[in-house]
Amino acid sequence: MSDSHLQDSMIAQRLFLCLIICFCLSTWLASGRLALAASPPPAPTCHNILGIQLRLIPGGPYLLGSPPEESGRYWDEGPQHWVNLSPFYITATEITNAQYGEFLAATGHPEPLYWLDRNLNAPNQPVVGVTWHDATAFAKWLSRITQEEYMLPTEAQWEAAARGGLVGQPFPWGSTPPEQGGRFRASFNPNPYDKDGFRYTAPVASFPPNGFGLYDMAGNVAEWCEDWYHSSSYTKSRKENPAGPASGTSRVLRGGSWYGRARELRCAARQSFRPSQTDGFIGFRLVRPVSP
C-alpha cells in the first residue's frame, strides 16, 4: 500500500472513531437528561396565615403495616396491606408551643399539662401534654380563623406520610437503625436520654426530613391520630381512605417519642391512649384536605 493510501486509511479510521465517540457521548447526555426529567419533583409546600408550613402528600396506593419478619414488630401491626388515599396536606412539623400559645391566647382554652415546664416549653419545641380533645379543639380553631379545614390525620394518612415515599422500609429514612454510625436520625431514648443530643424534646426540625419533607415523623413526640384504636383494625378497614373503627375507648398515637425506644420509631408501630389522657411525650400535627 502506498504512503498516500495508508494516510487516507488512518484518517478514515480516526473519523470513524470520532463518530462513535460523539454518538456515545450524545446518548449518555440524553439519558442523563431523561433521568433528570424522570426524577420526582419535591413535594409542594404552602403556608397558612399563622405561618404553619404544610407539605402535599400525593394520592394513590400505599403499603401500610409491617411484615412478620420486621425487627421490633408489635403484634397489632398486621396484616401488611395496601390502601388508596386521596391527596392531602400535612404540617411539616409537629405543632409547636408558639403556635399552640396563639390558640390559648385567642380562645382562653386551658393550658396543657407541662405548659410551665422549662424543659418542655420553649417556643420551637413541640407542644406536649395535650389530650386528644385539646388537639381537635386547636384544629377547629385553626379551621375557623383560616377558613380552611384542619383535622387530625387518620392512622392511614399518618403512616403514608411518615414513610416519605419509601415502600416496606421500617423507618422514615429507610432500614438503617436510628443511631448507626453515631449519627442520630431522630429524638428518642437511646439510653441515656441525652445521647442523641437532647434530654427531652428537641426543637422541631432538628433532624433531617423524610422523602416528603416532613420532620420528626419518628421520635420527638408521639402524635394523636383521628382513629379509634383497635388491635385488629387492619383486618376490617376499607381500602379507600380508611378511617378506623366507628367507636372505641382509646385513640391512636403514632411516631414514638423522646421517651421511647428505637422500635417505636418504626413507621408501622402503633400506640393508644384514652382521649382524655396525656403525658409529656404526646403532641400532634394536622392535615388539610386538598380542595376539589
Side-chain angles (χ1 to χ4, degrees), residues 4-218:
S4 61
H5 287 161
L6 180 62
Q7 189 174 10
D8 290 344
S9 177
M10 291 177 63
I11 291 172
Q13 289 176 0
R14 288 171 182 168
L15 286 172
F16 181 72
L17 182 60
C18 287
L19 287 172
I20 292 176
I21 292 172
C22 289
F23 175 79
C24 292
L25 182 60
S26 63
T27 302
W28 177 76
L29 288 171
S31 65
R33 286 194 294 271
L34 288 173
L36 286 172
S39 300
T45 305
C46 66
H47 295 77
N48 65 21
I49 61 174
L50 258 65
I52 297 175
Q53 184 186 92
L54 299 104
R55 288 280 193 172
L56 178 64
I57 308 303
Y62 289 91
L63 180 63
L64 307 183
S66 62
E69 67 274 12
E70 185 168 298
S71 178
R73 182 182 193 263
Y74 291 105
W75 66 277
D76 63 350
E77 296 174 14
Q80 202 171 24
H81 59 291
W82 288 93
V83 300
N84 285 309
L85 299 178
S86 300
F88 61 94
Y89 285 97
I90 188 167
T91 55
T93 70
E94 297 144 336
I95 298 301
T96 65
N97 286 312
Q99 292 160 352
Y100 199 80
E102 294 190 52
F103 160 65
L104 297 182
T107 64
H109 192 85
E111 294 175 351
L113 197 64
Y114 303 105
W115 186 247
L116 301 179
D117 189 323
R118 287 181 293 178
N119 296 310
L120 298 165
N121 69 358
N124 59 346
Q125 284 178 289
V127 65
V128 297
V130 288
T131 67
W132 183 90
H133 300 294
D134 292 333
T136 55
F138 178 91
K140 290 177 181 176
W141 169 76
L142 188 61
S143 299
R144 186 172 66 253
I145 67 167
T146 61
Q147 297 299 298
E148 300 167 339
E149 185 180 12
Y150 288 91
M151 62 199 71
L152 291 172
T154 65
E155 188 173 16
Q157 286 176 326
W158 191 97
E159 186 174 331
R163 292 186 176 277
L166 299 178
V167 179
Q169 297 294 319
F171 300 107
W173 54 82
S175 59
T176 307
E179 58 180 310
Q180 183 168 301
R183 175 193 168 208
F184 287 87
R185 296 161 178 83
S187 171
F188 68 112
N189 176 15
N191 193 21
Y193 285 102
D194 57 0
K195 190 177 178 182
D196 61 4
F198 302 95
R199 176 63 182 83
Y200 298 96
T201 56
V204 297
S206 292
F207 295 87
N210 71 3
F212 286 150
L214 305 176
Y215 296 90
D216 303 312
M217 295 302 290

